[in-house]
Amino acid sequence: MSERLAIVILNWNGKTWLEKFLPGVILFSEKAKVYVIDNLSTDDSVPYLQANFPDVGIVINNQNYGFAGGYNEGLKKINAEYYCLLNSDVEVTENWISPVLDLFERNSEIAAIQPKILSYQNKNFFEFAGAGGGLIDNLGYPYCRGRIFDDLEEDKGQYNDEMEIFWASGCCLFIRSKDFWEQNGFDARFFAHQEEIDLCWRLINTGKKIYYTGKSKVYHVGGGTLNKQNAQKTYLNIRNNLSMMLKNLPFPQLIWLIFFRLCLDGVAGIYFGVKNGFPHLWAVVRAHFGFYGQAVQTWKLRQSYQKDQFYQSKWLIFKHFL
């Protein structure tokens, strides 16, 4: 039997987060069934869930597939009209579900929705991963209302609206299951980082809409698996962003923009190396070779149609840093 909404938390050695936040998810999710997909944890996450939360559905993957592949594998065993893909380090709030489901029901073209995402540590400010809704500039750099690069805004009600956005954050992503599977889910090659932007971009290219609602809010810790200073995060973000553009950009913009971004990445690599150390410079180099290694397969994944005007802001990086 299919549920209306499944709240699905992907876990890998995250017992501490489950202890802290899962009780609140259960308390405020009376309209949904809660599941945990476990990416073959080596801690005692699963025995802890079994002993303390018998009503939570548990799906155990046979290996650690990462964020993208982990959800793809686990969701095959969960039957629901809507999924909410929720990070384990997210605190939900009372009535966080109803505004999202209401918005889905008002507009059948909406494939995915994100709530307002605030910082758990500083609850008056937006959080890096999603903030007031994800957008993208004409160079392919993702940003958010309420967050541009590392600059975060204070929440003063300026994003209490509902509006169409470009991408919904994977830390709290509501999505119609049929739309998720029509796109074959996330690109598992991404492993983690920007897989949700790629999925939203693919949905937009098929005529679907992505939305934000400020009537629902959650608080995100962030950096629960890889913190912002981790060189592997630099590698994944750059490699995946380039692959995402190769897959989804309309062809007239593709050649010049990929070349320009590769040049900008070189400058960014030097900056990262000076600011954060050599491993981050090397991560940029590795990311480029990782992108080249996937390029043929990525090209084969291009859809038959890419929307021509994909961006919401021109030259964001230059406006911000110059």
Side-chain angles (χ1 to χ4, degrees), residues 68-81:
Y71 268 122
N72 286 353
E73 290 298 315
L75 288 173
K76 293 174 183 177
K77 300 176 182 178
I78 299 173
N79 190 14
E81 183 179 0

Side-chain angles (χ1 to χ4, degrees), residues 65 68-69 72 186-192 239:
Y65 290 98
N72 286 353
F186 294 121
D187 187 335
R189 302 174 308 155
F190 281 34
F191 191 79
R239 185 200 66 178

